[in-house]
Amino acid sequence: MSKPNESFMRSLCMGKIAEDIIFPFPKMKAEEQETLKTVFSSFSSWLKGRDTEFRLWDKKGELPKEFIQEMKDFGLFSFIIPEEHGGLGLSATAYSRILQELSRYDSSMAITAGAHSSIGMKGLLLFGTVEQKEKYLPKLSSGEMIACFCLTEPSAGSDAAGIKSKAVKEGDAWVLNGEKIWITNGGLADFFTVFARTDTPEGQITAFIVTRDMAGVSTGPHEDKMGLRASSTVTVSFENVRIPAENVLGEVGKGFKIAMKILNSGRSGLGGGCIGGMKKAIALSTQQAKSRSQFGKTISEFGLIKQKLGHMVVDCYATEAVVSIVAGLVDQGSEDYAVEAAISKVFATECLWRTLDEALQIAGGGGYMTELPYERMVRDSRINRIYEGTNDILRLFIALTAMHDVGAQLKELAATVGSVFQEPIKGFGIFSDYAKKQMSLTTGIGKATFTKAHPSLKKETAVFEECAKGLAVFADRLLRKHGKKIVELQFPTRRLADAMIDLFALACVISRVTSAIDEKGLEKTVKEREILHVFSGQVGRRVRSNFGKIDDNDDQEIISLANHALELEGFAWDNL
Ligand SMILES: Cc1cc2nc3c(=O)[nH]c(=O)nc-3n(C[C@H](O)[C@H](O)[C@H](O)COP(=O)(O)OP(=O)(O)OC[C@H]3O[C@@H](n4cnc5c(N)ncnc54)[C@H](O)[C@@H]3O)c2cc1C
């Protein structure tokens, strides 16, 4: 049995398939399903047929006050707040499904509700004291207070540890000065989770609960954006704000860890939103393809249209599998799921982007017109690959975490080998697990296997096992080849991350299809098995290609061309 605190992907990079972590595929509790049915039926009577209004609000760049009030009345700020504080107390799984539903109506509305729960007040739920929770959660649940998450600053985006906002202890209070930019919900918020430098012996950054009624808190004008235009994005400024000591969130000095934990635990909400967008796009594209005729046929009859639709279905199914497993990990109280959560963010946001791009293509020129929903969906979705950690930074995090683990084992191996030379007989006796594992990986003996996958999925499971074996060897070879320098070598790091993303997604799809077969039998799961077949083929080809580039690549030429463009600040050639 795998330990509940183990990470599936970190284990996989060490050559172990910790299948207990992802089997059985998580299922929403029956009572939560019933709650959601009621909630969705109320959403439907409230939101159905209001697309003209959503389009207008997107153009104007604001959700009207009256609509924000409707959101409060329909409980959109209460989803994950425990029942004893007036909320619905939903699990991460059910919450993710709710954001899926809201995103099918409008993304600006979904992000307003999502930023409040996923990041705005999540710190209070995870790290708040009993007194803090009693004081704020009922107001946050009713929407009397809307929450936001204030981390980014003009000079600190991806490098969030570089924030300059500063809080200095003065008597019983902390005095905060600083400026946060691009804060979602900032213009509506009364509750601000703020991260500031405190430079205490306990650590450099501390999280605070700040409320709008504190003197010195102000917010700037609404930003004019590419997408999510009706959602509030503003600058938030703090000028000599006196924060009572009881408003420190978690421990003094532990703010950076708190920020990362909040972002990790909120990822299945964002993933749910992506799934909602994909399902809406598939519905729109299939209707469009069946109703539009060219060359005497409906365009749905053309192979190139079917190819797009088929891939959209595969991407959506895989995204739902990944997001469900990560939400399941949160619900089980897993403590080590940061890599999987980061993978789910990258995978979901990129599948959504591809799907929407293809949906717009199927709609042709009409897709480019603001009258149809496609261009707005594309604009709304672009930010997903940027905020809550850019996908580039998350790729580095995914791969470097794996390499850190492998590196630690290599050190252990080096120490063991050293003792082998000093005391050969004793040394061999204590040959580390890692060395044994590496021997088994390279010889194929004792190869890690998936025992819980359905036997009918042997072929697809074999792709996973083969690539998983390659992954552990790949991580090990990268580290042996580049040593500590790997941290600066982002091309191979990205390849390792991409292989990890693909393999986690494949493992999740295998788990999902296995559960479907167990539940419905083979005959009723033909389509699911087709999806797995296609997806495992894609993953196998991509992963092998990434592994092949460890020695055979054009990295140096690409770097040289980038340096050339940087030097010129442009492109060197012209046909004039
Ligand atoms: C609409 C919107 C809403 C937002 N909401 C919030 C919010 O509610 N709260 C909040 O705190 N923030 C919010 N943000 C900020 C968002 O989280 C940041 O924009 C994001 O973290 C990226 O930071 P940056 O924009 O400064 O980009 P930068 O960090 O300047 O990065 C620019 C580019 O360089 C790349 N890059 C940076 N460092 C590296 C590296 N080491 N290696 C390789 N590539 C690198 C990045 O991936 C990116 O492609 C929001 C932003 C937007 C646009």
Side-chain angles (χ1 to χ4, degrees), residues 149 151-152 157-158 182-184 383 386-387 390 392-393 396 490:
F149 175 87
L151 179 63
T152 306
S158 299
W182 304 331
I183 303 306
T184 305
I383 187 59
I386 298 173
Y387 63 14
T390 69
D392 318 79
I393 294 294
L396 297 179
Q490 297 191 340

Side-chain angles (χ1 to χ4, degrees), residues 491 556-570:
F491 288 47
Q556 286 317 313
E557 289 83 353
I558 291 289
I559 290 171
S560 150
L561 290 171
N563 287 339
H564 186 224
L566 285 165
E567 205 177 306
L568 294 174
E569 293 190 11

Side-chain angles (χ1 to χ4, degrees), residues 5-122:
N5 294 339
E6 203 176 356
S7 149
F8 181 81
M9 285 313 294
R10 290 174 74 170
S11 301
L12 195 69
C13 289
M14 310 292 288
K16 177 181 168 197
I17 303 179
E19 53 186 341
D20 286 342
I21 298 174
I22 58 157
F23 281 90
F25 190 73
K27 218 177 156 189
M28 203 187 301
K29 287 188 213 127
E31 57 270 33
E32 279 201 322
Q33 292 195 22
E34 286 312 309
T35 307
L36 290 202
K37 277 181 200 155
T38 315
V39 170
F40 293 172
S41 135
S42 79
F43 284 176
S44 171
S45 46
W46 168 43
L47 297 168
K48 217 168 167 188
R50 296 186 73 171
D51 201 57
T52 314
E53 285 171 272
F54 286 127
R55 188 143 49 93
L56 179 72
W57 299 337
D58 171 73
K59 248 192 197 135
K60 282 190 171 170
E62 200 172 14
L63 291 173
K65 277 197 182 75
E66 301 72 34
F67 185 73
I68 299 282
Q69 185 56 48
E70 287 177 43
M71 289 175 68
K72 294 178 187 179
D73 297 342
F74 276 86
L76 262 65
F77 299 100
S78 71
F79 300 140
I80 57 169
I81 294 178
E83 286 172 90
E84 69 261 32
H85 296 294
L88 273 182
L90 294 178
S91 65
T93 303
Y95 171 64
S96 172
R97 181 64 186 82
I98 284 217
L99 281 193
Q100 180 188 142
E101 195 71 9
L102 287 177
S103 299
R104 291 168 85 159
Y105 292 104
D106 180 64
S107 295
S108 285
M109 168 187 60
I111 190 68
T112 304
H116 169 86
S117 292
S118 297
I119 54 175
M121 52 96 191
K122 182 57 85 59

Side-chain angles (χ1 to χ4, degrees), residues 267 270-271 274 322-323 326 340-350 383-391 394:
R267 301 224 190 273
L270 185 79
C274 293
V322 170
V323 171
V326 170
E340 291 75 9
I343 288 177
S344 78
K345 195 269 189 177
V346 175
F347 189 78
T349 58
E350 294 182 2
I383 187 59
N384 288 319
R385 291 163 52 208
I386 298 173
Y387 63 14
E388 296 194 19
T390 69
N391 287 13
L394 291 178

